[in-house]
Amino acid sequence: MRMSFDEYFLRMALLASERATCQRLKVGAVIVKNKNVLATGYNGSASGEVHCIDEGCLMRDGHCIRTIHAEQNAILQCAKHGVNVNGASIYVTHFPCLHCTKSLVTVGIREIVYLNDYRNDEYALYLIERSGIKLRKVTI
């Protein structure tokens, strides 16, 4: 039986998460528009910086400040290459954090499809609902 597009793109997100360089949580993201992949992202360091897997996490207030989140990384790849994400969907291995949610709302993502709950923030849920973004948790 042929896999659905949801499963296909979520498996891509899982594959992208294998590239993550922060050991605290490996997250992958895929931005899709009209069933075409626009960009992928995973959590890791800024270009040219050392990685958590090499030197450990750089912690401040309980968070690794070295890491760029997967959703942000995918958005930044689109920005770097001039790709418009307005109206696109994002497939993510984990529920987006509040900061990533704010970014997704701001760039015009219309749908968030995710696999795993992870510290689902109430304000993030409010922003998603208020913005009219379709939110779906899917199992594969």
Side-chain angles (χ1 to χ4, degrees):
M1 186 175 223
R2 190 175 186 191
M3 75 175 75
S4 68
F5 277 109
D6 281 346
E7 184 176 356
Y8 178 60
F9 295 129
L10 283 169
R11 286 182 182 263
M12 283 185 179
L14 285 167
L15 185 60
S17 76
E18 299 280 329
R19 293 268 312 147
T21 61
C22 187
Q23 306 249 13
R24 297 180 71 228
L25 184 67
K26 293 182 176 280
V27 179
V30 179
I31 297 176
V32 176
K33 193 170 189 179
N34 300 321
K35 298 182 182 163
N36 292 299
V37 174
L38 302 181
T40 63
Y42 51 87
N43 54 328
S45 300
S47 296
E49 288 299 311
V50 297
H51 297 283
C52 298
I53 57 174
D54 298 326
E55 294 196 12
C57 291
L58 183 57
M59 300 297 292
R60 186 176 298 156
D61 299 324
H63 299 280
C64 179
I65 62 170
R66 179 177 284 139
T67 301
I68 298 170
H69 291 189
E71 301 92 327
Q72 293 168 327
N73 225 337
I75 291 168
L76 292 168
Q77 287 299 313
C78 288
K80 185 175 183 178
H81 298 288
V83 177
N84 182 357
V85 300
N86 190 42
S89 299
I90 190 164
Y91 289 79
V92 194
T93 58
H94 294 77
F95 185 87
C97 74
L98 176 57
H99 296 293
C100 287
T101 298
K102 291 188 284 187
S103 295
L104 296 172
V105 167
T106 301
V107 299
I109 292 292
R110 67 167 175 79
E111 180 182 40
I112 299 169
V113 183
Y114 71 102
L115 278 173
N116 302 297
D117 289 309
Y118 182 74
R119 299 180 182 175
N120 299 24
D121 185 90
E122 287 182 32
Y123 186 59
L125 287 164
Y126 166 80
L127 288 173
I128 291 166
E129 183 179 324
R130 187 166 191 272
S131 301
I133 294 174
K134 185 175 181 182
L135 178 67
R136 296 188 295 125
K137 181 179 180 183
V138 176
T139 55
I140 57 171

